[in-house]
């Protein structure tokens, strides 16, 4: 707990100096502290910088290309921001709410490489082709792989169904040991057999290999990236019935369901009982700050990209909407903080993932289990308290949506 207090003090100092939100500043502080304490890297790696700064995949691409590009540039070229909102319901389980705040569904790594003008190759196979992996690494080329994150031991998760794509980079090998870039400031050492299980478990992208194959062939396509982001916010995205869940339509749907007290799709009925309530509210925080996003629903990072591209008016609007999404995540975090040590447990878990990885796998899993147990044990607020919370959340979503509609209008005129 003393270490956590010292961390918070450093985070607040950075906030005062930079004006960043707590979560954005925390990611910077954690990364800096972990790099300062990191052991020596293994030899024969194809690059020498590891660890996520603000955005997972943007950091991977940055490292793979020699850390010569700004993280915000890479994130923006990959599409930057988006919005996807779904709630899935299964028997004997609380409703599973997911928000994807980054650009979606276009895969980030190919989009970023294409708009940077970096040539690349893609291969799929029915089984792991380790000779292809080693051949690429022997040529000094990193290998991007799509895996089932729950089967990577350093995440400390219970193995799942492999439905969500998760990108990691193989940056070197020694015999049958691979060195994998994923969150931590040092690469994770893992055997080919164990990594093969994670690689095989994500069925849709099974054994996908993306390998950069040469230097950039032109200038970054910022205009194309911005046009794609605007098009996917305004829709259509998928070209079917699912489009109601994407972009501004998805934001409107979230706000409407937060206010809905009558139908079974409204938050009052879906997330009214204690376990469902804390699960749903916790997911708002996780989806806007931690998973498939950068802090603030990726909006502050995208604002930096727009500054680099010379779109300062739109950048400020997205920066303001980012503060709104941070407020929404803060409301969720404040609510789940009533679970006692829940927030501290989550922060300790993230710190271990970023600094120690597999070496702390057992502790990472134990912290996750303790946090989950608290959510199951604590009773939900009464109906009037829930109603005030959901209405306030809906108002924040509406405010962010209005800001972003204006920002898109500005971008489309330039």
């Amino acid at each position: 707990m003393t270490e956590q207090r010292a961390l918070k003090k450093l985070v607040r100092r950075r906030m005062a100096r930079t004006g960043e939100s707590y979560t954005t500043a925390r990611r910077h502080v954690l990364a800096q502290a972990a790099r300062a304490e990191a052991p020596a890297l293994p030899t024969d790696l194809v690059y020498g910088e590891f660890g996520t700064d603000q955005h997972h995949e943007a950091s991977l691409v940055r490292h793979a290309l020699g850390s010569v590009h700004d993280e915000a540039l890479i994130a923006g070229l990959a599409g930057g921001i988006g919005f996807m909102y779904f709630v899935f319901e299964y028997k004997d389980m609380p409703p599973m709410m997911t928000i994807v705040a980054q650009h979606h569904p276009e895969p980030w790594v190919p989009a970023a490489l294409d708009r940077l003008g970096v040539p690349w190759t893609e291969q799929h196979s029915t089984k792991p082709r380790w000779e292809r992996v080693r051949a690429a690494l022997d040529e000094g080329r990193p290998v991007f792989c799509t895996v089932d994150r729950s089967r990577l031991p350093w995440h400390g998760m219970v193995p799942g169904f492999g439905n969500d794509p998760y990108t990691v980079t193989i940056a070197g090998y020694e015999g049958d040991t691979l060195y994998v870039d994923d969150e931590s400031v040092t690469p994770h050492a893992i055997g080919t057999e164990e990594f093969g299980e994670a690689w095989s478990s994500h069925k849709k992208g099974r054994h996908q290999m993306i390998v950069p194959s040469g230097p950039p062939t032109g200038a970054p396509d910022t205009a194309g990236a911005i046009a794609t982001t605007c098009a996917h916010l305004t829709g259509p995205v998928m070209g079917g019935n699912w489009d109601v869940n994407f972009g501004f339509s998805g934001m409107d749907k979230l706000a409407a369901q937060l206010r809905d007290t009558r139908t079974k799709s409204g938050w009052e009925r879906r997330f009214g009982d204690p376990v469902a309530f804390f699960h749903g509210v916790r997911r708002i925080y996780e989806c806007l700050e931690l998973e498939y996003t950068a802090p603030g629903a990726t909006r502050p990072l995208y604002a930096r990209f727009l500054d680099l591209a010379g779109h300062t008016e739109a950048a400020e609007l997205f920066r303001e909407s980012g503060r709104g999404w941070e407020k929404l995540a803060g409301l969720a975090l404040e609510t789940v903080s009533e679970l006692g040590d829940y927030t501290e447990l989550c922060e300790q878990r993230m710190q271990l993932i970023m600094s120690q990885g597999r070496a702390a796998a057992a502790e990472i899993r134990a912290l996750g289990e303790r946090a989950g147990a608290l959510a199951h044990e604590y009773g939900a607020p009464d109906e009037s308290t829930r109603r005030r919370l959901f209405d306030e959340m809906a108002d924040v979503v509406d405010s962010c949506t209005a800001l972003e509609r204006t920002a898109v209008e500005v971008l489309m005129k330039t």
Side-chain angles (χ1 to χ4, degrees):
M1 297 302 288
T2 301
E3 184 178 352
Q4 287 298 305
R5 284 195 291 270
L7 170 65
K8 289 182 177 180
K9 186 175 181 179
L10 291 173
V11 171
R12 292 192 178 100
R13 279 184 191 167
R14 182 179 175 95
M15 290 171 64
R17 187 176 73 253
T18 65
E20 294 168 343
S21 69
Y22 179 85
T23 50
T24 298
R26 181 183 62 185
R27 289 301 294 256
H28 281 297
V29 169
L30 285 175
Q32 290 170 359
R35 288 192 177 105
E37 299 172 1
L41 296 176
T43 58
D44 297 326
L45 299 175
V46 298
Y47 57 79
E49 183 178 352
F50 295 83
T52 296
D53 190 353
Q54 295 298 300
H55 187 273
H56 173 72
E57 286 162 302
S59 291
L60 292 180
V61 174
R62 180 174 179 271
H63 300 158
L65 300 181
S67 299
V68 296
H69 299 289
D70 190 286
E71 182 191 29
L73 174 67
I74 293 171
L77 291 175
I81 59 169
F83 199 86
M84 184 195 79
Y85 165 67
F86 277 98
V87 181
F88 299 97
E89 298 193 63
Y90 305 96
K91 185 178 180 181
D92 299 325
M93 293 180 63
M96 305 292 289
M97 193 281 294
T98 293
I99 295 171
V100 177
Q102 68 184 30
H103 186 238
H104 189 79
E106 184 180 19
W108 268 59
V109 172
L113 295 176
D114 281 343
R115 295 193 181 108
L116 280 166
V118 174
W120 53 277
T121 62
E122 180 177 13
Q123 299 180 41
H124 291 263
S125 58
T126 57
K127 63 180 181 179
R129 298 295 298 271
W130 301 118
E131 74 279 5
R132 295 179 182 176
V133 173
R134 294 187 182 100
L137 295 170
D138 288 343
E139 294 175 358
R141 305 191 187 283
V143 179
F144 293 96
C145 299
T146 305
V147 301
D148 173 6
R149 177 177 57 160
S150 71
R151 296 177 191 275
L152 297 174
W154 48 85
H155 284 282
M157 300 171 67
V158 176
F161 299 106
N163 294 326
D164 294 330
Y166 186 76
T167 303
V168 297
T169 311
I170 303 176
Y173 76 97
E174 183 178 357
D176 287 332
T177 298
L178 305 174
Y179 293 105
V180 176
D181 189 358
D182 178 23
E183 299 291 333
S184 177
V185 295
T186 55
H188 302 277
I190 184 172
T192 53
E193 182 176 351
E194 191 172 13
F195 184 81
E197 292 180 3
W199 203 9
S200 300
S201 295
H202 178 60
K203 307 301 182 184
K204 189 173 181 180
R206 197 172 188 180
H207 308 134
Q208 179 196 48
M209 285 178 54
I210 292 178
V211 181
S213 56
T217 57
D221 181 16
T222 56
I226 291 170
T228 299
T229 302
C230 291
H232 282 194
L233 284 172
T234 55
V237 176
M238 304 291 287
N241 294 334
W242 293 113
D243 275 332
V244 70
N245 299 287
F246 286 85
F248 295 141
S249 176
M251 297 180 202
D252 290 339
K253 183 175 181 178
L254 171 59
Q257 290 188 351
L258 281 164
R259 292 191 176 97
D260 183 357
T261 61
R262 298 181 300 105
T263 73
K264 63 181 182 180
S265 62
W267 273 59
E268 182 56 43
R269 291 182 59 177
R270 263 182 170 160
F271 297 102
D273 71 79
V275 172
F277 173 81
F278 281 112
H279 180 82
V281 172
R282 182 189 70 205
R283 288 293 296 159
I284 287 180
Y285 167 71
E286 292 172 344
C287 291
L288 296 179
E289 297 289 343
L290 304 177
E291 295 185 2
Y292 301 106
T293 187
T298 314
R299 271 59 179 174
L301 188 63
Y302 191 65
R304 280 178 48 205
F305 164 71
L306 292 177
D307 283 333
L308 293 172
H311 296 285
T312 55
E313 182 181 357
E316 186 51 42
L317 288 164
F318 278 116
R319 194 169 283 112
E320 187 174 352
S321 78
R323 288 190 283 268
W325 294 115
E326 289 167 356
K327 178 181 178 180
L328 179 59
L331 286 170
L333 184 60
E334 182 180 356
T335 301
V336 298
S337 294
E338 296 175 6
L339 302 180
D341 292 334
Y342 179 86
T343 306
E344 296 288 350
L345 294 172
C346 291
E347 291 194 357
Q348 289 177 44
R349 185 174 184 274
M350 174 183 284
Q351 186 174 6
L352 287 174
I353 288 173
M354 293 182 68
S355 61
Q356 297 186 36
R358 184 171 189 167
E363 189 174 356
I364 289 168
R365 174 171 290 190
L367 287 168
E369 290 174 350
R370 287 172 59 193
L374 285 174
H376 280 74
E377 293 171 3
Y378 199 92
D382 60 35
E383 182 178 352
S384 63
T385 303
R386 292 197 305 271
R387 185 71 268 130
R388 287 194 298 272
L389 174 66
F390 292 159
D391 284 344
E392 185 175 4
M393 287 181 165
D395 289 344
V396 174
V397 174
D398 284 341
S399 176
C400 292
T401 307
L403 287 165
E404 295 184 19
R405 288 185 191 275
T406 302
V408 167
E409 291 173 1
V410 170
L411 288 172
M412 294 175 70
K413 290 177 182 178
T414 56

